[in-house]
Amino acid sequence: MVSFYPGPSQIYPQVADYLLDAYNSGILSANHRSQKGMDLVQETVLLFRQKLNLPSDYSIYFTSSATECWEIISQSFKPDRFLHIYNGAFGKKWFEYSQKLNPNHCQGIQFELNELLPKIESFKNDIICITQNETSNGTQIGMDSIATIKNQGGLIAIDATSSMAGIELNWALGDIWLASVQKCFGLPAGLGILVCSAKAIQFCEQANQQNHYNSLLNIHKNMALFQTAYTPNVLGIYLLSRVLQQIESISETSNKIKKQAKDWYNFFKNNNKYKLLAQNASTRSDTVIVVSSKPEAIEILKQHTLKLGLTLGNGYGEFKTTTFRIANFPAINIQDINRLREILNN
Ligand SMILES: *Cc1c(COP(=O)(O)O)cnc(C)c1O
């Protein structure tokens, strides 16, 4: 079975061996404050820096999910405004969670899926929240667009859940980056990743929020010792370390993924049966391809591919029945992509 679902998604086949290695290594029974536990976290952080090209003044934290990262941000900073700019279901969900926790300090601005990131006015005590890759509608905000945000000294928080480890991110453009591993990392779900700039940590120290077990300040203090505030998903961290060892550097992966995305978009050009949801080529995602068609045609296609051992991603939210999604994630190999194209051609 091969999954083209954009999360949880196809995991690397090597993970089967890593699971057994994890068991045999004894790490799964080790205390997370033991030397063995701390060494694993330290090594994983190091590999993350190397493979994903993360600047040394950014720190990495392990959480349980991307959703948890949204809440951590809401609970750990005290800006005048969380300014959410979104064009799809995930960005909207983030805005809604944020609003519940900080109802008087939250503003949402919606834009259309064929539109580039709108110009925004922000102030020095704002946190701008954007979703770099909107998994629900297959659009992305390019690094050049993010670079146009004039944040006037505040912070920029970026949800890169379905693009981190798939395409190269310009880390310097954001202060807070978040993701989870069941998308482009090709791993099973249950581990979230939060990346913060030195400036973000400064803001967090000033806000001095400590009421939650997962307040960023608390997470940050623990990470100084390569520990976590609570007993973490040790298996998830172990598997992440092994996958990070295995994968190519992000610039190579990114080139491959972007070329594959281009090929997918060319494939659907001038297709009578299938149309791309995003009309504007410059808003289309590199990692999640969203295709629209008649609901009946989609249903038949999904049943047919399933019989042949391929799972397509369902449409999401308002596009549930009118689109299907194809993950263009690194763990999916070219043979399987070609098989899917053959099926789509018939
Ligand atoms: C999948 C996804 C999430 C949620 O991830 P969890 O790990 O399930 O919390 C958040 N944002 C985006 C853009 C996603 O694709």
Side-chain angles (χ1 to χ4, degrees), residues 65-67 70 90 131 133 135 159 161-162 180 182-183:
S65 68
T67 305
W70 290 344
F90 284 97
T131 303
N133 197 71
T135 321
D159 181 337
T161 305
S162 53
S180 46
Q182 75 276 16
K183 312 262 165 104

Side-chain angles (χ1 to χ4, degrees), residues 10 15 32 73 80 82 88 94 96 169 193 216 232 241 246 262 271 287 301 337 340 345:
Q10 185 63 30
V15 170
H32 61 294
I73 296 168
D80 291 337
F82 287 98
W94 183 9
E96 287 165 357
L169 304 169
I193 290 170
L216 182 54
S241 76
Q246 159 207 318
K262 214 177 256 172
N271 194 303
T287 52
L301 173 68
I337 293 175
L340 177 55
N345 268 332

Side-chain angles (χ1 to χ4, degrees), residues 143-343:
M143 294 302 134
D144 44 348
S145 273
I146 299 178
T148 65
I149 301 177
K150 299 272 179 286
N151 72 333
Q152 317 283 3
L155 299 179
I156 300 178
I158 304 173
D159 181 337
T161 305
S162 53
S163 54
M164 190 185 290
I167 61 163
E168 190 152 26
L169 304 169
N170 184 350
W171 298 104
L173 295 176
D175 298 290
I176 304 168
W177 295 83
L178 64 96
S180 46
V181 298
Q182 75 276 16
K183 312 262 165 104
C184 291
F185 286 90
L187 283 164
L191 187 67
I193 290 170
L194 187 63
V195 168
C196 292
S197 68
K199 184 172 149 194
I201 296 305
Q202 249 176 31
F203 270 58
C204 163
E205 282 168 345
Q206 277 157 17
N208 197 27
Q209 298 298 302
Q210 307 201 43
N211 287 347
H212 299 268
Y213 78 96
N214 58 359
S215 296
L216 182 54
L217 205 55
N218 194 18
I219 294 177
H220 178 69
K221 281 180 191 157
N222 274 277
M223 199 53 157
L225 302 169
F226 297 104
Q227 293 181 9
T228 46
Y230 55 89
T231 319
N233 179 353
V234 175
L235 176 59
I237 296 172
Y238 177 85
L239 296 177
L240 174 61
S241 76
R242 296 296 302 270
V243 160
L244 286 170
Q245 275 169 13
Q246 159 207 318
I247 58 176
E248 296 173 308
S249 73
I250 189 62
S251 56
E252 285 170 61
T253 304
S254 190
N255 287 340
K256 187 183 96 173
I257 291 298
K258 286 184 178 188
K259 184 184 174 300
Q260 279 176 192
K262 214 177 256 172
D263 292 345
W264 268 124
Y265 289 127
N266 280 331
F267 176 85
F268 286 109
K269 203 151 76 188
N270 307 322
N271 194 303
N272 292 325
K273 198 163 165 194
Y274 306 113
K275 304 272 174 226
L276 293 162
L277 181 65
Q279 316 278 300
N280 182 351
S282 45
T283 68
R284 286 178 194 150
S285 164
D286 286 314
T287 52
V288 180
I289 318 295
V290 180
V291 185
S292 63
S293 190
K294 293 205 179 72
E296 313 81 65
I298 292 175
E299 210 38 58
I300 292 167
L301 173 68
K302 283 196 292 200
Q303 297 299 331
H304 183 58
T305 53
L306 206 56
K307 267 191 222 131
L308 299 172
L310 306 177
T311 308
L312 286 177
N314 288 337
Y316 195 96
E318 62 175 309
F319 306 113
K320 194 168 183 61
T321 57
T322 53
T323 66
F324 62 91
R325 295 179 298 160
I326 302 171
N328 181 31
F329 292 169
I332 298 168
N333 66 46
I334 191 71
Q335 289 79 9
D336 291 324
I337 293 175
N338 287 335
R339 265 178 69 210
L340 177 55
R341 288 201 183 129
E342 247 168 66
I343 298 170

Side-chain angles (χ1 to χ4, degrees), residues 44-78:
T44 311
V45 165
L46 202 70
L47 284 163
F48 188 102
R49 287 190 188 289
Q50 287 169 357
K51 289 294 172 73
L52 298 189
N53 220 354
L54 186 72
S56 58
D57 55 339
Y58 279 71
S59 34
I60 304 161
Y61 309 98
F62 298 120
T63 67
S64 301
S65 68
T67 305
E68 189 197 358
C69 294
W70 290 344
E71 271 208 2
I72 290 171
I73 296 168
S74 293
Q75 294 166 353
S76 303
F77 295 92
K78 282 282 155 210

